[in-house]
Amino acid sequence: MQQEKKKKHPTKYKIGQTIYLILVFYIQNNLYTCAAACAFGFLFSFIPIIMMVLAFLIRLLHASPTIINAIISFTSRYETMFDIRSFITSLFDYNTFGWVDFLIVLFIIWMARKFFATVMQGINKIFHYKAPLRPLFNQLLIFAGELFIVIIAANIIFLLFTVRQILTQPYLSLLREQFPHLFGFNSGIFINILTYSLVFIFVTISYRFAAGTKPPMKLCVICSALCTGIFFIISKLLFLFLNVENYNLIYGVLSNVMILLFEVYIFFTLFLTCAQAIYVLQFFDSLLLGELYLLPERNDTAILSIIKRLLFIKPSSLMDKDDVINLKAGDIIYEKDDRTDDSYYVLDGSVVLNRGNNLSYYDKGSFFGEQACLLNKPRAGEATAVTDCRLIKISAASFHSLLENNAKVAEKALSEVSDYVAKVYGRTSSFLV
């Protein structure tokens, strides 16, 4: 029973740490504003692109009446936003293609580009510390996204027509009679499966390639499924409990625009939240190390500081590494003039640093030894275990990487160096590293 508790205990801490990091970085990266920008970009690009694809299919490929009726049925929910019947009728009556039409097409493509550029900006805000600069690749990815959405929109319509042809075959007549709603061409089940499958594919590809840090495909698939699944549930709940007719009476034509915008905003909020979760999980150990260095002092009684200390004082994912050192009382961690540049975090017990006549004590949740790493000097004092203790040893390379990727860690480290210089040169020459 005791072993089971020990296994569950670290997992509980890691879940809490992960949720905390996702929320903190989501707020720090201002992702709620990015979600709003993505939602507006989608509204101004997706519908015009769909209309452009419809124009291409109807005028150049002469889409069949079956496909046209299916399109009208599928878009009936948004009939107050644009009159699809009048649009299709005008396409049959309009036989010329002039400069105005060409400029409109360019505008639609430009708006699609702005939408994908906004999505890329949101992703870059999340991964910019870890991802290399790749402006050319990002531009190609934006162009690929525009092309992807146009091709997908066209293929959806062709796929609907193909499925319709298959389902009307005589050998499926018995199944059609038993499951008329499932086999109906305009079946909500079929459309939902198709729509959310495409959303899932789009999100997975975005996480995998737009991040620039090559997150594991399994992690991308799990987060994409989570994003798509939660969005599906929320959309169904909105459809059940939201009375669109009331909004039509108040806002008129704008009601469906507002509802669609709200749904899209929810999707991009989930999209960016799951992207932030991928970043946290991919670089969890490094982020956790930063939180250990920034851990509030024991005498800090602010509520958030207490919560943060309770969450991170036991870094479960780092406790199973080879860098954990077990010491007995009286064991020496490092001696004077040692050329080591490692830093240490106290998991349990207490440590004393003897710098000449200056004694400093560090207990559970404390960080020490980083000044030798920062100043590239030999140890000028001795660190000894006061009690039986466990330490996490952090290499100089890991600590320097932490300084590069975490502005708050760099700020605190500079403050530590500043205090050291002030004590050495401003007060007394007896204070050593």
Side-chain angles (χ1 to χ4, degrees), residues 52 99-112:
M52 185 175 68
W99 283 104
V100 175
D101 305 276
F102 179 73
L103 291 175
I104 290 174
V105 170
L106 288 181
F107 172 75
I108 292 172
I109 295 173
W110 174 255
M111 290 305 297

Side-chain angles (χ1 to χ4, degrees), residues 136-163:
L136 179 60
F137 179 81
N138 287 343
Q139 293 300 321
L140 291 175
L141 202 60
I142 291 170
F143 175 77
E146 301 167 17
L147 189 63
F148 174 81
I149 197 171
V150 173
I151 293 174
I152 287 299
N155 285 334
I156 287 175
I157 297 174
F158 279 118
L159 182 61
L160 290 173
F161 175 73
T162 303
V163 172

Side-chain angles (χ1 to χ4, degrees), residues 283-301:
F283 303 104
F284 184 78
D285 288 351
S286 175
L287 298 175
L288 182 57
L289 191 60
E291 294 302 324
L292 295 183
Y293 189 68
L294 298 170
L295 203 63
E297 298 293 336
R298 188 190 299 272
N299 57 3
D300 190 345
T301 57

Side-chain angles (χ1 to χ4, degrees), residues 300-366:
D300 190 345
T301 57
I303 295 177
L304 289 178
S305 298
I306 294 173
I307 293 173
K308 186 175 180 180
R309 188 172 176 85
L310 289 173
L311 274 176
F312 290 98
I313 200 167
K314 290 189 177 181
S316 56
S317 67
L318 301 178
M319 291 167 64
D320 296 329
K321 307 290 183 180
D322 295 334
D323 294 330
V324 174
I325 304 172
N326 295 296
L327 300 171
K328 297 292 184 180
D331 287 350
I332 296 175
I333 302 165
Y334 56 77
E335 296 180 336
K336 183 179 179 181
D337 296 327
D338 280 354
R339 296 295 303 183
T340 59
D341 53 6
D342 300 317
S343 306
Y344 298 90
Y345 173 79
V346 183
L347 281 171
D348 294 297
S350 60
V351 174
V352 61
L353 267 63
N354 185 356
R355 302 182 180 103
N357 296 324
N358 185 288
L359 298 178
S360 300
Y361 289 88
Y362 297 88
D363 59 1
K364 182 178 180 179
S366 300

Side-chain angles (χ1 to χ4, degrees), residues 39 75 116 120 127 138 141 145 177 180 185 189 209 234 237 252 284 301 332 336 362 374 379 430:
T75 58
F116 283 102
M120 285 297 299
F127 291 91
N138 287 343
L141 202 60
E177 293 176 0
F185 180 58
I189 297 175
F209 297 103
I234 293 176
L237 290 175
F284 184 78
T301 57
I332 296 175
K336 183 179 179 181
Y362 297 88
L374 293 169
R379 305 286 186 182
S430 64

Side-chain angles (χ1 to χ4, degrees), residues 182-380:
L182 181 62
F183 280 83
F185 180 58
N186 299 322
S187 169
I189 297 175
F190 177 78
I191 292 174
N192 280 331
I193 291 174
L194 182 62
T195 302
Y196 286 100
S197 297
L198 292 172
V199 170
F200 170 76
I201 294 171
F202 170 78
V203 173
T204 303
I205 293 173
S206 299
Y207 288 160
R208 176 63 176 173
F209 297 103
T213 59
K214 296 182 179 179
M217 191 64 184
K218 182 179 179 181
L219 180 60
C220 294
V221 170
I222 293 173
C223 289
S224 178
L226 186 65
C227 172
T228 308
I230 295 176
F231 177 64
F232 172 77
I233 294 171
I234 293 176
S235 298
K236 292 306 174 185
L237 290 175
L238 285 175
F239 181 78
L240 289 174
F241 296 105
L242 194 65
N243 192 338
V244 180
E245 294 181 358
N246 291 339
Y247 287 89
N248 288 338
L249 293 174
I250 300 173
Y251 299 107
V253 175
L254 290 176
S255 60
N256 274 339
V257 177
M258 294 170 61
I259 294 170
L260 177 61
L261 187 62
F262 179 62
E263 287 185 40
V264 176
Y265 176 74
I266 290 175
F267 169 76
F268 281 109
T269 299
L270 294 170
F271 174 80
L272 293 175
T273 301
C274 290
Q276 188 66 76
I278 290 175
Y279 175 82
V280 169
L281 293 171
Q282 187 179 4
F283 303 104
F284 184 78
D285 288 351
S286 175
L287 298 175
L288 182 57
L289 191 60
E291 294 302 324
L292 295 183
Y293 189 68
L294 298 170
L295 203 63
E297 298 293 336
R298 188 190 299 272
N299 57 3
D300 190 345
T301 57
I303 295 177
L304 289 178
S305 298
I306 294 173
I307 293 173
K308 186 175 180 180
R309 188 172 176 85
L310 289 173
L311 274 176
F312 290 98
I313 200 167
K314 290 189 177 181
S316 56
S317 67
L318 301 178
M319 291 167 64
D320 296 329
K321 307 290 183 180
D322 295 334
D323 294 330
V324 174
I325 304 172
N326 295 296
L327 300 171
K328 297 292 184 180
D331 287 350
I332 296 175
I333 302 165
Y334 56 77
E335 296 180 336
K336 183 179 179 181
D337 296 327
D338 280 354
R339 296 295 303 183
T340 59
D341 53 6
D342 300 317
S343 306
Y344 298 90
Y345 173 79
V346 183
L347 281 171
D348 294 297
S350 60
V351 174
V352 61
L353 267 63
N354 185 356
R355 302 182 180 103
N357 296 324
N358 185 288
L359 298 178
S360 300
Y361 289 88
Y362 297 88
D363 59 1
K364 182 178 180 179
S366 300
F367 216 100
F368 70 92
E370 73 273 21
Q371 289 179 348
C373 172
L374 293 169
L375 300 174
N376 194 24
K377 283 188 173 184
R379 305 286 186 182

